[in-house]
Amino acid sequence: MASTTFFSFRLSLFNHQPIKRPKALLSSSRISPSLSSSIDNHLTLTRVTYPLLQSRSSPNGRFHVAVQKEYSDGESSESLVSDTTNQEEFSWPSVILPFLFPALGGLLFGYDIGATSGATISLQSPELSGITWFNLSAVQLGLVVSGSLYGALLGSLLAFSIADFLGRNRQLIAAALLYASGGLITAYAPELGVLLAGRLLYGLGIGLAMHGAPLYIAETCPSQIRGTLVSLKELFIVLGILLGYFVGSYLINTVGGWRFMYGLSAPVAVLMGLGMWILPPSPRWLLLRAVQGKGSFQGLKEKAIVSLGKLRGRPPGDKESERQIEETLVSLKSAYADQGSEGNFLEVFQGPNLKAFIIGGGLVLFQQITGQPSVLYYAGPILQSAGFSAASDATKVSVVIGLFKLLMTWIAVLKVDDLGRRPLLIGGVSGIALSLVLLSAYYKFLGEFPLVAVGALLLYVGCYQISFGPISWLMVSEIFPLRTRGKGISLAVLTNFASNAVVTFAFYPLKELLGAENLFLLFGAIALLSLLFIIFTVPETKGLSLEDIESKILK
């Protein structure tokens, strides 16, 4: 007969107090004989959970490690599984910058969405564009709007090939440089071809940033706030959209205002690049390189110790960082013991990795093909057709939508760990389907009620922000196994931007072909399909560690 007990202790001092409400079982590694000898002789200490960056802080700031023991009565038995999390002491000031500067990559992505909403109005205005080539066709306008998304698509392909070599830190520095150069070229574009080239460069930055930012944040922050911070990255995207709406509203009556709308992204990109320059590389990435034999093992290990110390605000050479690195190396060596040095392309489509890609890739695919880029990029034109004919009126209502989007994102961030992923996804996507039906009904027979269009847009935005918006990316960062996580996330980002670019480019041509009422009805039907996908395919990962997800859900 075997039973399992967990104890909490501060560093090496045991306080024999059972944890009353365990929450998530983490992976484990063997402990040293010296620690084992400190346990009562009649207990066999089998493991200690202490993986790097998979921890939780207590209210009193103590550092907790969960110890699993089993009573041995000479019989072969299986240890009972109990959910618990170890806890790591950290200070909030040391966490802010490693989150903030990568999150600026998301803000700049969102800013492009918001600014484009106003820029498309300014660019096509004979009075306000300040150019002679303002009379753009539907295809040309689609290329302007989706140009950054095609660049993001190429950036995702680039990230798949070079991200593991560059590392998260240098990848984000490269993204910042592309953001700045793309924004400036777009702002000074003398003709359509140069404008499109600038949009493409900016998009390359988006592709690299949206791959590197969630990886850097997830790998450098304490695990007890990992879900919150990854979701907060979505909040920064929304802040960027709102900032773009504000800038568009303020500059909409300025001649050549679209140039300023796009160009103002450059200073933020410079700030992002400088911030990433001073931040250390991801300790987990350094250890992965060491285990994969991609450099001097001892040198990479020492760099990881220094990096973790800086990220936690500890003095150089501190023993706590060294201990965490040692424990993580044991776990990584075990994970790579019977495998090659690193996952290849085909491995992403095999076994548990394929299941992870179906879940993560499916979510980000439906995130886009339910019409999200169309509603956001074309918020201004939709509102103009809904009765807010003046450009300034449409952009002001866009700001209201952005504020509402921000509010709903914050609600999702607060509730995702309480309610779980599946309930928010199911409820939110149901609301998205309803909002798209309402938009279709407005264009079909409710045209004299412009508030119907505004209400439908608000419903769409609110439901999207409590479901697809933050949760898709959170699950993408959680669901892939460690071995293929970099490549898996690259493919998910690629899927996201490929579908985003297609939907954004096709919106105006499809609107002309099908009519707005039928187009939104089509998006509504796709939303119903995505609801079925979530119900039957997407698992609940609330309360599970990354190791639990890999061992329990993907097997």
Side-chain angles (χ1 to χ4, degrees):
M1 181 73 181
S3 62
T4 304
T5 304
F6 288 85
F7 286 91
S8 168
F9 60 91
R10 183 174 185 177
L11 296 181
S12 61
L13 302 178
F14 284 86
N15 300 319
H16 291 265
Q17 301 173 353
I19 297 176
K20 294 181 180 179
R21 297 184 64 187
K23 296 199 174 177
L25 181 67
L26 297 176
S27 66
S28 57
S29 58
R30 298 178 183 269
I31 62 172
S32 63
S34 61
L35 179 59
S36 179
S37 64
S38 67
I39 309 299
D40 296 337
N41 292 332
H42 69 285
L43 299 177
T44 302
L45 184 60
T46 58
R47 65 184 67 175
V48 55
T49 57
Y50 195 100
L52 176 63
L53 306 177
Q54 300 292 322
S55 52
R56 186 180 297 268
S57 63
S58 63
N60 61 9
R62 290 182 176 180
F63 190 97
H64 294 278
V65 177
V67 180
Q68 178 177 322
K69 306 181 297 181
E70 70 177 27
Y71 293 93
S72 176
D73 56 5
E75 298 178 4
S76 171
S77 58
E78 182 178 347
S79 300
L80 299 178
V81 177
S82 177
D83 288 340
T84 187
T85 53
N86 55 13
Q87 300 182 348
E88 176 189 357
E89 182 180 0
F90 72 94
S91 64
W92 277 102
S94 67
V95 170
I96 292 174
L97 292 183
F99 162 77
L100 177 62
F101 290 119
L104 288 179
L107 183 140
L108 287 167
F109 172 41
Y111 179 82
D112 183 66
I113 296 174
T116 297
S117 179
T120 53
I121 299 174
S122 174
L123 189 62
Q124 297 178 94
S125 171
E127 298 83 14
L128 300 176
S129 64
I131 55 177
T132 58
W133 39 277
F134 61 86
N135 190 19
L136 301 178
S137 66
V139 172
Q140 289 174 327
L141 183 62
L143 286 174
V144 171
V145 173
S146 63
S148 63
L149 298 176
Y150 286 112
L153 184 62
L154 295 176
S156 303
L157 288 171
L158 189 63
F160 186 90
S161 303
I162 68 170
D164 287 340
F165 169 74
L166 284 180
R168 299 25 166 156
N169 189 283
R170 285 180 289 182
Q171 181 181 344
L172 289 169
I173 292 174
L177 292 173
L178 289 166
Y179 271 141
S181 58
L184 291 175
I185 290 174
T186 303
Y188 289 98
E191 59 183 19
L192 180 61
V194 177
L195 173 62
L196 294 177
R199 300 287 291 145
L200 189 70
L201 278 178
Y202 194 94
L204 285 172
I206 293 175
L208 292 180
M210 294 305 291
H211 176 269
L215 277 175
Y216 189 86
I217 293 171
E219 292 181 359
T220 58
C221 71
S223 69
Q224 64 265 38
I225 57 174
R226 185 185 67 241
T228 298
L229 291 185
V230 174
S231 298
L232 278 176
K233 183 186 70 68
E234 173 69 18
L235 188 70
F236 266 66
I237 296 176
V238 177
L239 282 172
I241 293 172
L242 185 58
L243 180 61
Y245 283 158
F246 268 117
V247 171
S249 178
Y250 182 76
L251 296 173
I252 193 62
N253 290 319
T254 302
V255 176
W258 62 272
R259 297 184 183 276
F260 297 99
M261 295 176 197
Y262 283 131
L264 286 175
S265 61
V268 182
V270 172
L271 178 63
M272 172 189 169
L274 292 175
M276 293 309 305
W277 183 268
I278 64 175
L279 286 175
S282 162
R284 183 176 291 275
W285 175 77
L286 290 170
L287 293 180
L288 283 173
R289 300 292 287 178
V291 173
Q292 293 169 354
K294 300 296 183 179
S296 167
F297 184 90
Q298 187 62 31
L300 289 169
K301 174 184 170 182
E302 292 175 357
K303 287 181 180 179
I305 295 172
V306 172
S307 176
L308 181 60
K310 289 181 179 178
L311 289 167
R312 294 295 179 269
R314 298 167 182 164
D318 71 290
K319 298 299 181 182
E320 195 55 50
S321 296
E322 184 176 351
R323 172 173 173 165
Q324 286 184 266
I325 294 299
E326 291 287 356
E327 293 287 347
T328 303
L329 273 174
V330 173
S331 178
L332 289 178
K333 286 178 180 178
S334 176
Y336 277 78
D338 300 322
Q339 305 178 39
S341 61
E342 57 183 323
N344 56 40
F345 176 80
L346 293 178
E347 190 174 353
V348 179
F349 300 100
Q350 299 172 359
N353 301 300
L354 176 60
K355 185 176 181 180
F357 179 69
I358 290 174
I359 295 169
L363 281 174
V364 295
L365 174 65
F366 280 116
Q367 180 191 59
Q368 301 303 321
I369 64 176
T370 49
Q372 183 268 156
S374 300
V375 172
L376 293 180
Y377 277 103
Y378 296 101
I382 288 174
L383 291 169
Q384 280 186 305
S385 65
F388 301 90
S389 55
S392 58
D393 290 339
T395 54
K396 287 176 182 176
V397 178
S398 295
V399 171
V400 174
I401 292 177
L403 287 170
F404 182 68
K405 186 178 176 71
L406 184 67
L407 172 64
M408 297 305 293
T409 305
W410 182 249
I411 292 174
V413 169
L414 294 177
K415 292 298 182 182
V416 66
D417 286 326
D418 294 332
L419 297 178
R421 281 65 160 158
R422 276 175 57 86
L424 289 176
L425 280 171
I426 292 172
V429 174
S430 299
I432 287 174
L434 176 60
S435 68
L436 289 166
V437 171
L438 286 175
L439 276 174
S440 175
Y442 166 76
Y443 282 103
K444 188 176 288 288
F445 50 79
L446 296 176
E448 67 272 21
F449 302 105
L451 288 180
V452 172
V454 176
L457 283 174
L458 289 174
L459 178 62
Y460 184 98
V461 167
C463 290
Y464 177 86
Q465 290 311 132
I466 63 171
S467 57
F468 276 143
I471 297 177
S472 294
W473 289 110
L474 174 58
M475 294 203 69
V476 164
S477 70
E478 292 176 330
I479 201 69
F480 287 101
L482 173 64
R483 177 174 162 80
T484 57
R485 184 167 298 152
K487 289 180 170 58
I489 292 179
S490 295
L491 286 176
V493 173
L494 180 65
T495 301
N496 178 269
F497 286 119
S499 53
N500 192 326
V502 170
V503 172
T504 302
F505 174 76
F507 178 78
Y508 269 145
L510 284 176
K511 185 179 177 182
E512 291 182 357
L513 177 65
L514 301 175
E517 65 278 10
N518 293 323
L519 178 57
F520 284 113
L521 194 61
L522 174 62
F523 285 146
I526 297 173
L528 290 176
L529 288 177
S530 67
L531 183 60
L532 293 175
F533 171 80
I534 291 166
I535 292 173
F536 292 107
T537 306
V538 177
E540 179 58 72
T541 58
K542 181 185 74 170
L544 295 177
S545 70
L546 297 179
E547 291 76 16
D548 280 335
I549 293 171
E550 182 173 350
S551 62
K552 296 179 180 179
I553 293 178
L554 298 180
K555 294 301 183 183

